């Protein structure tokens, strides 16, 4: 509707100026991804854009629209504002889109404007684009030529190609191969050459190209062929295209050599000598001639005939079978019959000179007739061959033989000649009757054919033979036999699907269908194993994972085709070999260890547990510290983490390490874990007094100071943490006019004036302050001397300093400071309570001394604790002793920034 509006609403001359059709041609490769620029319609049509020099008021926004969203529209994306054409997410396949006559519709890629017409082989994508608004309206015909890329390999239409070549084909004979390879690609990307993987030295290939550009391979004979030497050649024909890199396809080429009549019949011997008794009866077999022709079929058919040189009398006496070459007596032999006959027999083949053999028959004159052997077969007999099943029982009768003398003058006896499980015995009560029977079970697999003779002779020594052939018939009496009862296989894990495992082989001694073996998996075989019924090829259809299951064991069956069928069972064991497909795995992603500080060097901090699901060397894991290796080491075998030195929490409270586990595979796999080591504080630092900075410092206290007023403070810090850093302050020694006038807060260290100062309270006050922590098992402490000078002014500093240098005579009051929060109304001291408090203090000190003495006595007896004064971190002050201020002054006072 918008188009119709623009066509009819604007001035006609404007329509006539801009409604001309314009054609743009782009080209690009097939198979490009989405977003590839094909071309810019606005630029190629030279239309004004937002960035041109035209004033904005004269430049309405352009709009580009596909006139229809047909088949071509799904392969491109058109920007409505800029007019840029890009490939869409639908990939272009030139061979799928342009299947008809080479030039059709559909595609996308890098753009190039061209005014030339596309070639006949072009695959075109046609688009109609409308340019709006009305001032710039036009219909643009966009043609996108799709260039071919080599994305298809040649493919033969059939996997097996059969070609017949006559064995007398001359050298350079050319035979077209009827199934050439096909390649959907065009031009040089199509099929270019053919080759044979094995030419046997007598074949080569040539390629002919017709006017349509189709290439046909021709087989060329390069040497002499002889079907009787080799009747078939099997090779692989390979087709290769001209792409870069080239792609190939192949098929099996079977070259059959057809027979021609290039061989004639031949006899193995040139002469055959035969003796015939003069009393031979009609049909007596004299001899059989046999010629051989190496050709096939009708070319190998042989007929036998007498030569023209054979007299007619001999022809009449001896019958020659044209097909079998058998010579038999055809007329009665009497006294007038010639004693020597030379029979020249020809072996005739089609188109051949006959082969010649001479049969020399000598007839021996006899005065008596030979004994007669008359068989009467009980078993199945055809043309003198008796057929017996191998499962027939012992003493199975075969035939009766009647032995008699035609002249009835001589005694006739008989016996059995030949090897085999047979017996010929008289059949009583009849005379001259003999029974032929078996003596053992027959076995087809041991021997299939027996040839025995029943020989009869008379009292004059004249004897005759009756030949009996026994053919043993096979029965299904043998089960298939595997070549191995236990088939041990191995395969690497992560195998490709349908991977070949082995080819089972079982044999069956029976013949025919009874010996045909089929293979089946046992009921305990997993479903992802497959066994080809006919070939015995065992495969696995899925990937095996050693970590999931390392060994498989199941049965397979070999079943013959007899009735009823017989079977045998073998066991298959498959070991899945390990591949390094598992990285070492830490039990935890993060490990945290809590270690007391001052832990001895190379002590065990903790154990890093790591596993690797692989086996053997692939499962060996080596641990190493990625950071902090100058402080920490790890036992790569046991995973024990140790510190080379003793760790001090006050220097660093925690450590974060990264531990890497590397397996022994090739290539090796690795993983990392985070280790956090938190140092637990122990009470190894006594409080450090920061103020006052010296035992020689002092402070002026005015007599007018009101009771309860803060005078000064003792400030100390402790590098430990927790209760080890909780500090308590106490005055353990006093000296001055009225030393109990000052009190220290046990928690804050603030020193306050407790009572009003009188005239006689002037002078130097020395307070020995103990700063103690609450550490476990023993608290540590430090001491500092707080000097207060009560006076209105400091008129003589040298005097005060001299007093400070004197060693004070201070009695130490050793009592544990108590840090507690008490209500203000409970903290009151009264002069009236002072005697009671003094008495209680004395009693308490006595009790403490008694308990301490008993504890020291017990410890010394048990010898479990040895105290060394030089290892004690505290400043030792003897109870009720004198304090050496000079010794206290020699202790360095550490000041740190807080």
């Amino acid at each position: 509707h918008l188009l119709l509006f623009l066509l009819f609403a604007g001035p006609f001359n404007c329509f006539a100026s801009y409604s001309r059709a314009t054609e743009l041609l782009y080209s690009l490769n097939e198979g490009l991804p989405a977003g590839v620029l094909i071309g810019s319609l606005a630029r190629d049509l030279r239309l004004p854009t937002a960035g041109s020099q035209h004033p904005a008021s004269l430049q309405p926004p352009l709009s580009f629209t596909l006139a229809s969203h047909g088949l071509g529209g799904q392969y491109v994306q058109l920007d409505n504002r800029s007019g840029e054409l890009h490939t869409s997410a639908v990939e272009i396949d030139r061979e799928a889109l342009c299947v008809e006559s080479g030039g059709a519709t559909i595609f996308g890629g890098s753009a190039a404007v061209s005014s030339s017409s596309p070639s006949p082989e072009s695959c075109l994508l046609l688009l109609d684009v409308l340019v709006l608004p009305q001032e710039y309206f036009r219909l643009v015909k966009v043609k996108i030529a799709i260039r071919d890329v080599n994305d298809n390999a040649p493919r033969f239409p059939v996997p097996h190609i059969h070609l017949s070549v006559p064995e007398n084909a001359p050298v350079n004979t050319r035979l077209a191969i009827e199934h050439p390879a096909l390649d959907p690609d065009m031009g040089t990307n199509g099929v270019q050459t053919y080759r044979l993987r094995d030419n046997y030295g007598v074949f080569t290939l040539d390629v002919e190209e017709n006017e349509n550009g189709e290439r046909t391979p021709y087989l060329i004979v390069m040497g002499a062929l002889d079907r009787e030497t080799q009747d078939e050649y099997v090779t692989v024909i390979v087709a290769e295209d001209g792409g870069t890199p080239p792609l190939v396809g192949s098929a099996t080429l079977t070259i059959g050599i057809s027979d021609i009549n290039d061989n004639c019949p031949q006899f193995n011997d040139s002469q055959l000598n035969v003796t015939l008794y003069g009393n031979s009866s009609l049909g007596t077999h004299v001899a059989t001639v046999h010629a051989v022709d190496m050709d096939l079929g009708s070319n190998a058919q042989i007929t036998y005939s007498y030569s023209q040189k054979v007299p007619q009398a001999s022809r009449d006496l001896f019958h020659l079978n044209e097909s079998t070459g058998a010579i038999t007596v055809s007329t009665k032999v009497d006294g007038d019959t010639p004693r020597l006959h030379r029979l020249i027999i020809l072996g005739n083949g089609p188109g051949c000179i006959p082969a010649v053999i001479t049969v020399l028959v000598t007839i021996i004159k006899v005065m008596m007739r030979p004994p007669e052997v008359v068989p009467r077969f009980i078993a199945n007999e055809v043309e003198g061959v008796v057929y017996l099943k191998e499962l027939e029982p012992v003493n199975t009768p075969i035939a009766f033989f009647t032995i008699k003398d035609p002249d009835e003058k001589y005694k006739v006896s008989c016996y059995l000649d030949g090897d085999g499980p047979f017996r010929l015995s008289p059949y009583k009560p009849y005379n001259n009757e003999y029974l032929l029977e078996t003596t053992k079970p027959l076995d087809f697999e041991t021997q299939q054919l027996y040839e025995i003779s029943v020989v009869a002779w008379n009292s004059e020594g004249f004897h005759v033979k009756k030949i009996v052939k026994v053919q043993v018939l096979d029965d299904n009496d043998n089960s298939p036999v595997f070549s191995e009862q236990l088939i041990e296989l191995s395969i690497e894990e992560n195998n490709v699907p349908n991977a070949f495992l082995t080819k089972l082989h079982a044999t069956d001694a029976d013949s025919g269908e009874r010996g045909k073996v089929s293979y089946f998996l046992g009921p305990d075989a997993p479903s992802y194993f497959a066994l080809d019924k006919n070939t015995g090829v065992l495969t696995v259809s899925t990937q095996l994972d050693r970590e999931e299951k390392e060994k498989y064991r199941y049965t397979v069956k070999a079943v013959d085709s007899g009735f009823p069928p017989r079977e045998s069972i073998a066991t298959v064991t498959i070991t899945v070999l390990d591949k390094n497909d598992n990285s070492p795995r830490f039990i935890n992603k993060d490990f945290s260890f809590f270690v007391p500080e001052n832990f001895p060097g190379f002590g065990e901090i903790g154990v890093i547990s790591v596993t690797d699901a692989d086996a053997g060397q692939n499962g060996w894991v080596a641990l190493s510290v990625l950071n902090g290796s100058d402080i920490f080491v790890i036992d790569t075998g046991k995973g024990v983490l140790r510190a080379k030195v003793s760790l001090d929490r006050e220097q660093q409270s925690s450590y974060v390490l990264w531990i890497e586990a590397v397996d022994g595979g090739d290539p090796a796999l690795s993983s990392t874990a985070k280790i956090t080591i938190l140092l637990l504080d122990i009470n190894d630092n006594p409080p450090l007094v920061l103020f006052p900075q010296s035992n020689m410092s002092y402070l002026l206290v005015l007599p007018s100071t009101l009771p309860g007023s803060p005078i000064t403070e003792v400030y100390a810090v402790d590098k430990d943490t927790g209760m080890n850093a909780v500090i308590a302050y106490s005055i353990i020694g006093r000296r001055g006019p009225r030393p109990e006038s000052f009190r220290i807060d046990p928690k804050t260290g603030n020193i306050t004036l407790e009572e009003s100062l009188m005239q006689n309270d002037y002078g130097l006050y020395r307070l020995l302050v103990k700063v103690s922590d609450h550490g476990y098992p023993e608290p540590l402490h430090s001491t500092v001397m707080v000097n207060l000078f009560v006076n209105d002014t400091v008129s003589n500093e040298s005097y005060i300093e001299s007093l400070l240098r004197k060693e004070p005579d201070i009695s130490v009051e050793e009592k544990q400071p108590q840090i507690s929060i008490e209500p203000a109304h409970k903290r009151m001291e009264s002069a009236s309570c002072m005697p009671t408090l003094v008495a209680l203090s004395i009693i308490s000190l006595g009790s403490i001394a008694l308990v301490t003495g008993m504890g020291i006595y017990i410890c010394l007896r048990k010898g479990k604790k040895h105290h060394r004064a030089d290892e004690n971190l505290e400043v030792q002050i003897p109870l009720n002793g004198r304090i050496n201020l000079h010794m206290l002054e020699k202790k360095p006072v550490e000041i740190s920034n807080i």
Side-chain angles (χ1 to χ4, degrees):
H1 298 88
L2 176 61
L3 174 61
L4 294 174
F5 175 79
L6 292 174
L7 288 175
F8 295 101
F12 181 80
N13 59 350
C14 180
F15 173 80
S17 175
Y18 290 100
S19 63
R20 65 185 182 277
T22 305
E23 182 176 292
L24 294 178
L25 176 62
Y26 300 99
S27 64
L28 74 162
N29 293 338
E30 63 173 320
L32 293 175
V36 175
L37 177 65
I38 301 173
S40 175
L41 273 62
R43 181 190 64 202
D44 297 334
L45 294 173
R46 295 182 174 82
L47 296 177
T49 59
S52 63
Q53 301 299 323
H54 299 283
S57 61
L58 302 177
Q59 193 180 157
L62 295 176
S63 175
F64 299 85
T65 309
L66 289 175
S68 64
H69 296 278
L71 182 61
Q74 64 178 320
Y75 297 100
V76 298
Q77 292 286 346
L78 176 62
D79 190 301
N80 294 338
R81 293 299 180 188
S82 66
E84 290 185 347
L85 271 175
H86 293 83
T87 55
S88 70
V90 181
E91 184 178 296
I92 300 173
D93 184 359
R94 183 184 187 279
E95 290 74 34
L97 297 170
C98 300
V99 294
E100 298 181 359
S101 68
T105 345
I106 315 286
F107 269 59
S110 300
V113 182
S114 173
S115 60
S116 60
S117 299
S119 64
E121 297 84 13
S122 297
C123 178
L124 296 178
L125 172 63
L126 304 180
L127 303 172
D128 290 339
V129 180
L130 296 176
V131 182
L132 298 174
Q134 181 180 358
E135 289 88 341
Y136 302 102
F137 171 76
R138 65 180 65 190
L139 176 65
V140 182
K141 298 284 187 178
V142 179
K143 295 182 179 180
I144 303 174
I146 308 307
R147 292 192 296 263
D148 183 47
V149 298
N150 192 28
D151 57 345
N152 291 280
R155 184 178 62 85
F156 286 90
V158 293
H160 299 279
I161 301 174
H162 296 273
L163 193 63
S164 179
V165 181
E167 63 176 324
N168 64 342
V171 175
N172 293 327
T173 298
R174 299 171 65 87
L175 299 168
I177 296 177
E178 297 181 355
H179 302 285
L182 304 176
D183 193 328
D185 295 324
M186 300 292 295
T188 58
N189 291 332
V191 178
Q192 299 296 315
T193 60
Y194 291 86
R195 68 176 186 273
L196 294 176
R197 286 190 183 166
D198 187 358
N199 57 20
Y200 294 96
V202 293
F203 299 105
T204 187
L205 288 180
D206 190 19
V207 180
E208 291 186 3
E209 184 174 356
N210 60 17
E211 57 187 12
N212 295 328
E214 297 176 348
R215 295 174 181 263
T216 302
Y218 281 80
L219 181 71
I220 301 177
V221 179
M222 300 298 293
L225 303 175
D226 185 6
R227 187 206 63 80
E228 289 72 33
T229 303
Q230 185 168 352
D231 60 353
E232 184 179 74
Y233 298 86
V234 180
T235 184
V236 175
I237 181 171
V238 179
E240 183 176 304
D241 63 22
T244 304
L247 303 177
V248 298
S250 62
T252 302
L253 177 62
T254 301
I255 306 170
I257 309 302
S258 59
D259 184 54
I260 64 169
N261 191 26
D262 58 346
N263 291 278
C264 290
Q266 290 183 350
F267 288 105
N268 293 330
D269 300 310
S270 60
Q271 181 171 314
L272 186 62
N273 297 319
V274 179
T275 301
L276 182 67
Y277 290 104
N279 59 353
S280 297
S281 60
L282 296 179
T284 300
H285 180 267
V286 178
T288 300
V289 296
H290 181 68
V292 177
D293 193 323
M294 299 299 294
D295 293 325
L296 292 177
S298 60
N299 293 332
Q301 288 184 354
I302 301 175
T303 59
Y304 301 94
S305 63
Y306 285 125
S307 170
Q308 296 294 329
K309 298 180 181 180
V310 177
Q312 187 63 41
S314 297
R315 293 169 181 252
D316 295 340
L317 179 61
F318 300 105
H319 172 72
L320 174 62
N321 190 304
E322 293 184 354
S323 300
T324 64
I327 303 171
T328 57
V329 177
S330 59
T331 59
K332 183 178 179 180
V333 180
D334 54 24
D336 297 329
T337 303
R339 300 305 175 193
L340 183 63
H341 297 266
R342 185 182 299 273
L343 305 178
I344 301 175
I345 300 175
L346 305 178
N348 305 295
C352 290
I353 298 175
V356 179
I357 186 173
T358 300
V359 178
L360 192 60
V361 181
T362 301
I363 299 178
I364 301 174
K365 184 177 181 180
V366 294
M367 300 304 294
M368 64 184 72
R369 289 184 293 175
E372 293 182 357
V373 179
V374 180
R376 287 171 293 166
F377 291 98
I378 303 172
N380 184 26
E381 179 267 339
V382 178
E383 296 182 355
V385 179
V386 177
Y387 295 91
L388 290 177
K389 291 184 178 181
E390 63 175 330
L391 296 182
E392 292 289 349
V394 178
N395 301 326
T396 297
I398 299 174
F400 279 115
F401 288 90
T402 301
I403 309 300
K404 61 183 179 179
D405 179 19
D407 298 328
E408 297 183 354
K409 296 188 299 181
Y410 305 99
K411 182 181 179 181
V412 180
S413 301
C414 73
Y415 66 91
L416 188 65
D417 185 24
D419 295 329
F422 305 102
R423 176 176 58 212
L424 183 67
S425 58
Y427 190 74
K428 296 180 179 180
Y430 304 102
N431 294 324
N432 298 329
E433 293 288 342
Y434 294 86
L435 176 65
L436 178 63
E437 59 185 352
T438 62
T439 59
K440 293 181 180 179
L442 302 177
D443 188 0
F444 174 86
E445 289 72 36
T446 303
Q447 187 170 345
Q448 294 86 38
L449 181 65
Y450 295 90
E451 186 170 314
I452 55 179
S453 299
V454 177
V455 181
W457 82 98
N458 58 21
S459 56
E460 296 296 321
F462 197 86
H463 65 274
V464 294
K465 289 184 178 180
K466 181 64 176 179
I467 297 175
V468 179
K469 294 181 179 180
V470 178
Q471 176 68 55
V472 182
L473 300 179
D474 187 31
D475 211 333
N476 192 31
D477 60 338
N478 289 278
S479 299
V481 178
F482 280 99
S483 56
E484 296 177 294
Q485 286 299 312
L486 178 60
I487 304 165
E488 297 179 319
L489 307 173
S490 63
I491 184 174
E492 278 195 343
E493 63 176 328
N494 304 331
N495 55 282
V496 296
N498 300 316
F500 172 84
L501 292 175
T502 189
K503 183 176 182 180
L504 303 180
H505 181 66
T507 57
D508 193 314
D510 295 323
S511 63
E513 287 295 316
R514 291 173 292 273
K516 183 179 179 182
V517 180
S518 300
Y519 301 91
F520 301 93
L521 290 172
D524 53 345
S527 61
Y528 38 84
F529 288 96
L531 180 59
D532 188 281
K533 174 183 177 181
N534 299 316
T535 65
V537 172
L538 181 64
T539 57
V540 56
S541 61
T542 186
Q543 281 191 347
L544 300 180
D545 186 358
R546 189 204 64 82
E547 289 72 39
E548 182 179 334
K549 189 170 183 179
E550 184 176 6
K551 289 188 178 294
Y552 295 86
R553 185 183 181 94
Y554 53 86
T555 56
V556 290
K557 294 192 298 183
V559 183
D560 64 22
S561 301
F563 182 81
R566 302 174 71 97
E567 66 179 39
S568 62
I569 296 176
T571 301
V572 175
T573 63
I574 300 175
T575 301
V576 183
L577 303 179
D578 184 54
K579 290 182 70 176
N580 193 30
D581 57 345
N582 290 278
S583 300
R585 183 178 179 183
F586 289 93
I587 293 181
N588 298 315
K589 290 291 184 181
D590 296 322
F591 290 85
S592 295
F593 297 109
F594 295 87
V595 182
E597 64 174 330
N598 301 331
F599 194 69
F602 292 97
E604 181 178 320
I605 294 176
V607 177
I608 311 300
S609 298
V610 61
T611 60
D612 194 314
D614 294 321
Q617 185 171 345
N618 294 332
W620 296 349
V621 179
L623 297 174
S624 61
V625 182
L626 296 180
N627 61 328
S629 58
D630 56 336
I631 299 177
F632 296 94
V633 293
I634 190 167
D635 186 334
T636 186
K638 299 180 180 179
V640 176
L641 181 65
R642 307 175 189 273
K644 298 179 183 178
V645 296
S646 179
L647 304 178
D648 188 356
R649 190 205 63 80
E650 287 72 38
Q651 293 184 4
Q652 186 170 340
S653 61
S654 64
Y655 295 86
V656 177
L657 305 179
W658 289 97
I659 303 297
E660 181 182 39
V662 181
D663 62 24
D666 184 18
L669 301 178
S670 63
S671 61
T672 57
K674 180 182 178 183
I675 311 297
T676 302
I677 302 174
L678 300 174
L679 296 182
L680 301 177
D681 184 53
I682 64 173
N683 193 28
D684 58 344
N685 290 279
L688 178 64
V689 178
L690 301 180
F691 186 83
Q693 298 182 5
S694 171
N695 289 332
M696 300 299 293
S697 62
Y698 65 94
L699 180 68
L700 177 64
V701 179
L702 298 178
S704 60
T705 303
L706 297 177
S709 299
I711 304 301
T712 185
E713 69 171 341
V714 176
Y715 181 70
V717 294
D718 196 314
K719 294 181 181 179
D720 296 323
T721 58
M723 294 303 295
N724 294 334
V726 175
I727 297 175
Y729 302 88
S730 62
I731 298 174
I732 62 172
R734 304 170 185 263
R735 183 176 177 80
R738 192 152 55 96
E740 64 274 4
S741 301
F742 298 95
R743 179 183 178 275
I744 190 168
D745 188 296
K747 290 191 296 184
T748 65
N750 291 331
I751 297 177
T752 57
L753 180 64
E754 293 296 302
E755 299 176 357
S756 299
L757 297 173
M758 304 301 180
Q759 185 66 33
N760 56 352
D761 294 337
Y762 285 41
L764 180 64
Y765 289 80
R766 310 197 72 175
L767 306 178
L768 182 60
V769 177
K770 180 181 179 181
V771 183
S772 177
D773 60 26
H774 283 64
Y776 180 83
E778 285 189 27
L780 303 179
H781 70 270
S782 301
T783 58
V784 66
M785 188 68 74
V786 178
N787 301 303
L788 303 177
F789 185 62
V790 179
N791 201 9
D792 293 324
T793 60
V794 178
S795 57
N796 192 348
E797 291 186 6
S798 60
Y799 170 71
I800 298 174
E801 292 175 358
S802 66
L803 294 177
L804 293 175
R805 283 193 291 270
K806 293 180 180 180
E807 181 178 348
D809 185 11
I810 298 178
S811 298
V812 176
E813 304 171 2
E814 187 63 39
K815 62 180 180 179
Q816 187 70 20
Q818 298 295 326
I819 300 178
S820 60
I821 301 175
E822 298 178 356
H825 66 274
K826 291 184 180 181
R827 294 177 51 213
M828 58 181 60
E829 294 182 4
S830 174
S832 61
C833 297
M834 188 59 65
T836 304
L837 292 175
V838 172
L840 291 175
S841 299
I842 294 173
I843 294 173
S844 298
L845 288 175
S847 300
I848 291 172
L850 179 61
V851 172
T852 303
M854 292 180 65
I856 293 173
Y857 175 74
I858 294 172
C859 292
L860 290 176
R861 287 195 61 185
K862 294 185 176 181
K864 294 184 178 179
K865 293 185 180 179
H866 303 279
H867 297 279
R868 297 179 181 177
D870 54 348
E871 295 179 355
N872 197 334
L873 296 176
E874 302 179 2
V875 179
Q876 300 294 334
I877 300 177
L879 298 179
N880 298 324
R882 300 291 182 175
I883 297 177
N884 191 338
L885 292 180
H886 297 288
M887 294 297 294
L888 292 175
E889 291 170 3
K890 291 179 182 179
K891 178 183 178 182
V893 180
E894 300 180 7
I895 302 175
S896 60
N897 296 326
I898 299 177

